[in-house]
Amino acid sequence: MEKGKDVETLIPHRAPFLFVDEILSANEKEIIGVYTFKKDTDVFIKGSFPELEFVPGTILIESMAQCGGAGVRLLGVSKGVFALAQIESAQFFKAVTYDEQVRYEIAIQRMSEKIIKQSGIAYVGDVKVVEASWMSIRIDSAQ
């Protein structure tokens, strides 16, 4: 695993809908990545809760799935493009505000050329903010 590899080479997402800054580590069991939602650049999501200035939960789950997808691509398991197909569970424990780095710890439950099942916990510092599980499916042919 090459630490800090450009995430844009791993997944098709681009700003303003790219929510992974870096994959810190990836192996067959776990992927760890980070993202900081920036008040000045992630402006399109600010309209969700303009008075409260926190990141919507659906965006946090999307960010977790992007982190998991980038890690799987980094491992070289699949060359296809995957899309989030099912959110099996999600629990939110604390709001995430702008300019806080979120660390994702993603567990790989199943990985194949067609399906990826993952679960993860998102932290700000040592505080758990989100826990979720999801499934992604390949939406194109392997390249």
Side-chain angles (χ1 to χ4, degrees), residues 32-100:
I32 298 175
V34 293
Y35 187 72
T36 301
F37 291 91
K38 297 152 214 81
K39 188 173 187 175
D40 296 332
T41 56
D42 290 322
V43 294
F44 88 97
I45 61 176
K46 285 176 61 177
S48 182
F49 295 99
E51 299 298 319
L52 300 175
E53 295 195 349
F54 65 84
V55 179
T58 54
I59 298 296
L60 291 170
I61 293 173
E62 173 66 25
S63 185
M64 292 175 83
Q66 287 184 19
C67 180
V72 167
R73 282 297 294 265
L74 192 56
L75 292 170
V77 174
S78 176
K79 296 178 180 154
V81 175
F82 284 76
L84 187 59
Q86 179 182 33
I87 298 169
E88 296 175 346
S89 67
Q91 293 181 301
F92 302 93
F93 302 100
K94 183 181 180 300
V96 174
T97 58
Y98 296 97
D99 302 318
E100 294 181 309

Side-chain angles (χ1 to χ4, degrees), residues 6 9 16 24 33 36 46 48 56 65 71 80-81 90 99 113 117 127 137 140 142-143:
D6 185 12
T9 66
L24 302 176
T36 301
K46 285 176 61 177
S48 182
V81 175
D99 302 318
E113 279 293 318
K117 275 190 83 153
V127 177
I137 59 170
D140 73 341
Q143 300 171 351

